[in-house]
Amino acid sequence: MSYLIDEGKNASHLLMGNEAIVRGALEAGINVAAGYPGTPSSEIIECFSQVAKERNLYVEWSTNEKVAVEVAAAASFAGLRSLCVMKQNGVNVASDFLLHLASSGTRGGMLLVTCDDPGALSSVNEGESRLFAQLLEIPLLEPGDFQEAKDIIPWAFALSEEIRNIVMVRSVTRLSHASGNVRFGPLPATAAKAEFHYSGPLLDPDTGPMIAMIVAAPEAQHVPQQNKMKRAAEIFETCPFNTYTGPAAPELLIVTSSACSLYSREAVSILGLAERVGILKLATTWPLPQQLLKRHLAAAPEILFVEEVAPTLEDHVKVVAAEAGAEIGVKTFFGKKSGHLPSVGELNPDLVLAALSRIFNVPYEGTPAAFSGAVKALAAKYAPPRGMTFCPGCPHRASYWSINNAVKLDGRGGFVCGDIGCYVMGTMAAGFNTCKTLHAMGSGSGIASGFGKLKQFGMDQPVMAVCGDSTFFHAAMPALANAIHQRSPFTLMLMDNRGTAMTGFQPHPGSPTNVLGDPVPALDMEKICRAMGAKVEVSDPFDLEKTRQKLNHLMEYADGAKVLILRRACALSPERRGKKDYEVTVDESRCRGEDCGCNRICTRIFGCPGLIWDGEKKVSRIDEIICVGCGVCADICPAGAIVRKEVA
Amino acid sequence: MSDVKLVKDPYNVIITGVGGQGNVLASRLLGGILAKKGFLVTIGETFGASQRGGSVMSHLRISREVLASPQIPKGRADVIVSLEPAEALRVLALYGNPATILLTNNHPIYPVGVIKGDMVYPPVAEMEAAVKEVLPTARFIAATARALALGNSILVNIVMLGALGRLNVVPLSREDFREAIAARLATGQLAINLQAFDAGYGMV
């Protein structure tokens, strides 16, 4: 039994923020959860799936984030409690439906949980989802620690049901992927009955059809929606998760939220400023509790905003202060705009320490400078930096090798549009700098579709795009449909590694099992592409020569879109992990090292971590602990010095 | 709640290494053990895309009084446990101070630049001597060699936990470990993990 459904009295566990969110939802009697994988959010759906049977939940990995919100909305329309979850980029994908959902409203409590990644620790950007709450006109809650990440969820469901609209709950990497002690509450009984009532009058919140339609009559739905926000703002005035610690009349008021409240608390404590600085930690960051803010702003002459990414609190609280100027007087503000805190990247206690040290003119030294200088010098000398690369035995390295060779042989200046997955490293040395554009999920195919139509302006370069199997279903299919329909002659290389590998092998519509491990229909990507009208080839990326030949052949074909499916399971996938196809060795008598003329192609260019350049012997060798025995490097060596022997 | 006293509150432990070495499991095991003893524990971690073969680091904050933030302020690590020597140095430079206890495995995992022959990974013995000039108490132990002798390099995280247990700076006994590992891993893996813990315990 999972500890997530521990029903022991006074049970307490060390939980990741993501697990705390799940436990909170279970305590709220959640029925349906849907999401699309993305770091740092992925554990939430995985945890729900672990207890789905015991708690009678419906849980799914949806095709993309927009579908996830739609699936969860259906549950809400039928009177159930539901949640959809995604990383910050997913909110962009879901935003079209979200805007309409916020207009129609919801019935059963419904939450949008977003896990943002300030500092882009595991993302291609540090996009900010908080601004969506303002755009969508829905309430936003931000838990400040692990206990709150659990406790705020039932409160958020109750709020959603009170105002009949979706409520957004935002976490960040440093809560989602960090852990802390969480005391459990009781789990409710799991009986729920779903029924969609639609025969009442239009716009009746309980019995009418759920329709977002305000054509030329914004007052019909937009006014009620804004009234919901007014009601949320009233409720927020007494929200138990908005807390203040500090003196009644502080010299400086810190206004903060989320993980930043923990950094603030620590910095104030280290500098011994507890008697001089107050910390207002807001959990309700949109709409803002105006009266609460006014009271705290009135008590302090100086305000410091401690938040990550966009200066959202800073901007909004300044408006409150301006509106209340006559009552509360003129304030001095510090934050991103004053330069006391950086405008990009994640925060930490040191950055808050530096800001406070500057404002109060109290010196603070983290690491003793002499020690730090000495160790930094040692690190520079003895700790070579660690670059990102594909894992040993990764099919993507082999795919990019062949793609690169095909482009060079073709000789017409062709290029590849990149996409989102582990294969983003196609933009780096690890992927031989093959990809020349990189944006959002599925965008490689859309951009390639556009490039393919520029022949009339004299562009003769062959155009290619890559996308993974999960990305194919998520967002590349509409772009491929476009390319086929418009006769855009680009070549899509569909890197099918059998799962959503980057985030931990979550299933997608092409997978034979769902999140619970139950068998489900697997959509056949090859048949789909053929049925759509593309010219399709399939290749095993480990067969370098055949892959290269097929790609060169497809590049020649100018009459419409083509798809090369590069099919090979990820080396870390459950089906491949720990399996060696070959024993690989380097025959030192045949490796001629620097004299070969190959310019160390195996180690210097191919760059698999399982192959090491032995600087003393001046030959390549296999690192047996790291090599997973894919055997691909044997086909790279022009001297035939890398030998592979099939493992019986 | 046990009556174990902390040398300092919060007590700050960093467990570091390279993606795939079992860093996260080690920090979760230790965090779970301490939480069970009634401590307030925060573990700050990052994992995901950036950790494919990259540096990984877990910050463990242990307190009787306050839930500390998931990031240790610079220069405030009380113990650094590293599964890889270059990572030990990188973390020491940012989070160490002259009183930091440094315990590191001496087996290098080569960064891709070294594998390619573009960079050099200096001999670990030389690195050890240089580190000890700055931090005389630093300990370099052959944890990977011990793990390999037990049959699998993946046990290196457990060997290092055993060594940490011996240092007596955080309450981590063999029995604590046995309970935690039994709750987390399949029973078949219990014996080998206990052997790895004992091996580490005997190395310092």
Side-chain angles (χ1 to χ4, degrees):
Chain A
M1 191 196 76
S2 167
Y3 53 89
L4 290 170
I5 50 172
D6 187 343
E7 298 200 64
K9 224 178 164 209
N10 303 322
S12 171
H13 290 270
L14 193 66
L15 295 191
M16 278 172 73
N18 281 347
E19 294 175 315
I21 288 169
V22 169
R23 173 70 191 194
L26 294 171
E27 291 181 10
I30 189 173
N31 309 113
V32 170
Y36 184 82
T39 311
S41 72
S42 308
E43 294 79 11
I44 293 178
I45 289 292
E46 281 163 3
C47 289
F48 279 126
S49 76
Q50 286 161 19
V51 299
K53 292 204 164 121
E54 288 97 330
R55 298 299 301 169
N56 187 31
L57 310 179
Y58 174 71
V59 186
E60 72 169 43
W61 282 123
S62 308
T63 306
N64 64 33
E65 293 87 352
K66 177 169 173 281
V67 176
V69 185
E70 289 156 350
V71 165
S76 165
F77 295 169
L80 302 179
R81 284 192 162 183
S82 69
L83 173 158
C84 52
V85 57
M86 56 207 63
K87 72 181 294 177
Q88 79 274 8
N89 309 68
V91 185
N92 306 332
V93 176
S95 60
D96 191 13
F97 176 67
L98 282 167
L99 188 67
H100 293 87
L101 179 65
S103 174
S104 80
T106 55
R107 282 186 186 155
M110 179 174 175
L111 308 185
L112 163 67
V113 175
T114 80
C115 301
D116 284 13
D117 191 18
L121 303 168
S122 298
S123 305
V124 297
N125 61 49
E126 57 172 357
E128 161 78 76
S129 74
R130 286 182 298 172
L131 296 166
F132 272 104
Q134 192 183 0
L135 171 72
L136 301 170
E137 297 180 74
I138 58 172
L140 170 63
L141 300 174
E142 297 186 70
D145 62 30
F146 310 96
Q147 184 70 44
E148 236 175 68
K150 176 188 87 62
D151 294 342
I152 211 166
I153 297 290
W155 198 84
F157 272 113
L159 173 68
S160 168
E161 282 166 9
E162 159 104 25
I163 65 165
R164 296 298 173 93
N165 216 347
I166 185 169
V167 171
M168 180 167 166
V169 178
R170 179 210 188 220
S171 177
V172 294
T173 303
R174 296 289 180 183
L175 283 179
S176 280
H177 275 184
S179 308
N181 313 62
V182 178
R183 288 179 313 280
F184 285 11
L187 292 175
T190 57
K193 170 88 173 75
E195 187 175 358
F196 179 40
H197 300 283
Y198 50 77
S199 41
L202 190 69
L203 303 181
D204 182 278
D206 297 313
T207 61
M210 297 299 278
I211 291 170
M213 188 172 66
I214 55 170
V215 180
E219 65 282 357
Q221 275 179 324
H222 205 175
V223 169
Q225 186 184 353
Q226 288 178 349
N227 288 338
K228 292 174 179 185
M229 289 299 272
K230 283 183 190 150
R231 178 71 190 121
E234 281 166 25
I235 295 171
F236 286 179
E237 293 291 348
T238 55
C239 171
F241 306 107
N242 291 331
T243 57
Y244 175 77
T245 46
E251 291 170 48
L252 175 84
L253 176 71
I254 292 180
V255 180
T256 184
S257 68
S258 195
C260 293
S261 64
L262 298 171
Y263 307 145
S264 301
R265 196 166 71 190
E266 183 145 7
V268 167
S269 160
I270 287 174
L271 291 179
L273 293 171
E275 302 298 316
R276 302 172 69 187
V277 177
I279 301 175
L280 179 62
K281 181 204 71 91
L282 289 177
T284 61
T285 47
W286 190 256
L288 287 172
Q290 310 254 342
Q291 300 308 321
L292 176 86
L293 268 168
K294 267 198 255 174
R295 282 199 302 278
H296 286 286
L297 292 172
E302 298 187 330
I303 319 294
L304 169 66
F305 299 100
V306 180
E307 63 184 321
E308 288 166 324
V309 194
T312 307
L313 273 177
E314 180 165 353
D315 287 347
H316 293 148
V317 173
K318 279 179 178 170
V319 171
V320 175
E323 287 172 355
E327 276 174 70
I328 66 170
V330 177
K331 306 291 169 187
T332 305
F333 296 103
F334 305 107
K336 291 177 187 294
K337 295 195 169 168
S338 68
H340 285 75
L341 285 165
S343 60
V344 298
E346 64 167 352
L347 298 189
N348 56 41
D350 299 283
L351 290 167
V352 185
L353 279 161
L356 287 173
S357 144
R358 194 171 142 195
I359 293 166
F360 282 92
N361 200 18
V362 279
Y364 174 75
E365 188 186 53
T367 319
F371 179 81
S372 155
V375 182
K376 276 188 181 139
L378 288 183
K381 187 171 173 194
Y382 290 106
R386 235 170 251 288
M388 278 169 84
T389 190
F390 291 115
C391 304
C394 176
H396 296 330
R397 179 183 289 104
S399 292
Y400 279 127
W401 186 265
S402 302
I403 293 166
N404 227 18
N405 284 339
V407 171
K408 278 189 201 137
L409 262 170
D410 178 86
R412 290 178 288 165
F415 60 92
V416 178
C417 300
D419 219 301
I420 305 296
C422 292
Y423 51 93
V424 293
M425 285 192 280
T427 58
M428 309 173 192
F432 322 115
N433 304 301
T434 304
C435 296
K436 303 302 182 192
T437 72
L438 179 71
H439 300 83
M441 286 187 73
S443 295
S445 297
I447 294 168
S449 174
F451 272 130
K453 296 306 292 182
L454 301 182
K455 199 173 170 58
Q456 76 187 75
F457 305 103
M459 187 167 148
D460 289 327
Q461 297 158 284
V463 181
M464 283 149 285
V466 288
C467 92
D469 38 342
S470 195
T471 303
F472 175 74
F473 291 108
H474 177 284
M477 279 178 72
L480 180 61
N482 189 70
I484 293 166
H485 183 63
Q486 310 297 348
R487 284 187 194 276
S488 175
F490 93 95
T491 310
L492 172 62
M493 287 154 302
L494 207 174
M495 299 164 122
D496 175 10
N497 62 358
R498 303 294 179 89
T500 316
M502 189 175 208
T503 48
F505 301 101
Q506 292 82 3
H508 56 63
S511 307
T513 50
N514 65 12
V515 66
L516 301 181
D518 296 332
V520 284
L523 279 67
D524 184 328
M525 285 175 273
E526 186 182 339
K527 282 187 186 157
I528 289 171
C529 294
R530 280 192 214 286
M532 286 168 82
K535 183 177 172 60
V536 181
E537 296 270 5
V538 181
S539 190
D540 174 358
F542 281 4
D543 191 335
L544 299 176
E545 187 50 24
K546 269 212 187 101
T547 299
R548 204 262 319 141
Q549 281 172 9
K550 282 181 181 169
L551 183 52
N552 275 129
H553 173 69
L554 287 175
M555 286 169 79
E556 293 289 336
Y557 180 82
D559 191 24
K562 303 136 304 184
V563 177
L564 176 61
I565 298 177
L566 295 164
R567 184 173 292 148
R568 169 64 75 161
C570 169
L572 296 178
S573 66
E575 62 174 293
R576 289 295 314 160
R577 202 168 192 146
K579 286 187 192 138
K580 256 192 179 184
D581 290 336
Y582 298 100
E583 246 357 291
V584 185
T585 50
V586 175
D587 180 345
E588 285 185 15
S589 66
R590 286 158 87 177
C591 176
R592 285 177 286 163
E594 304 276 23
D595 302 328
C596 174
C598 73
N599 202 6
R600 290 194 279 114
I601 192 167
C602 61
T603 51
R604 199 179 58 84
I605 312 286
F606 191 62
C608 175
L611 261 173
I612 295 178
W613 174 249
D614 189 327
E616 283 173 23
K617 287 189 181 169
K618 306 281 181 203
V619 289
S620 292
R621 67 178 167 84
I622 302 292
D623 183 327
E624 281 169 27
I625 294 178
I626 291 171
C627 174
V628 299
C630 72
V632 172
C633 55
D635 290 328
I636 306 282
C637 177
I642 304 179
V643 184
R644 64 179 171 221
K645 203 175 91 192
E646 235 171 290
V647 175
Chain B
M1 190 183 281
S2 76
D3 52 5
V4 184
K5 288 218 168 50
L6 292 171
V7 184
K8 203 176 128 273
D9 198 317
Y11 196 77
N12 298 323
V13 179
I14 296 182
I15 302 183
T16 186
V18 176
Q21 283 194 298
N23 196 83
V24 171
L25 176 66
S27 68
R28 298 273 175 91
L29 279 169
L30 180 57
I33 287 166
L34 295 163
K36 223 172 164 191
K37 287 180 188 288
F39 289 102
L40 291 171
V41 177
T42 313
I43 310 177
E45 277 165 339
T46 57
F47 46 84
S50 53
Q51 273 64 57
R52 290 274 196 266
S55 310
V56 287
M57 177 166 49
S58 303
H59 288 196
L60 266 98
R61 323 281 317 266
I62 309 154
S63 173
R64 283 279 181 218
E65 294 149 18
V66 61
L67 183 86
S69 87
Q71 296 192 69
I72 296 171
K74 305 284 187 300
R76 287 183 178 245
D78 296 303
V79 182
I80 296 170
V81 178
S82 182
L83 310 184
E84 204 278 343
E87 294 313 312
L89 209 45
R90 243 191 283 283
V91 170
L92 185 68
L94 280 181
Y95 294 97
N97 64 63
T100 300
I101 296 166
L102 178 73
L103 174 67
T104 180
N105 179 18
N106 69 1
H107 182 81
I109 292 186
Y110 294 133
V112 65
V114 173
I115 289 163
K116 289 181 164 193
D118 297 342
M119 289 184 285
V120 175
Y121 196 113
V124 176
E126 201 181 298
M127 181 199 300
E128 181 176 349
V131 170
K132 282 180 172 165
E133 273 179 36
V134 184
L135 192 70
T137 56
R139 292 166 195 261
F140 284 61
I141 64 173
T144 294
R146 273 317 272 276
L148 281 170
L150 288 168
N152 197 338
S153 63
I154 197 68
L155 292 166
V156 69
N157 56 348
I158 306 299
V159 174
M160 293 303 292
L161 271 188
L164 174 66
R166 183 74 179 89
L167 290 183
N168 241 339
V169 287
V170 288
L172 169 64
S173 70
R174 183 180 200 270
E175 182 52 26
D176 293 331
F177 174 76
R178 195 195 58 76
E179 265 180 42
I181 199 92
R184 218 169 231 279
L185 299 179
T187 40
Q189 294 172 289
L190 185 59
I192 189 72
N193 276 284
L194 272 175
Q195 279 180 44
F197 186 88
D198 292 340
Y201 197 87
M203 289 178 85
V204 292

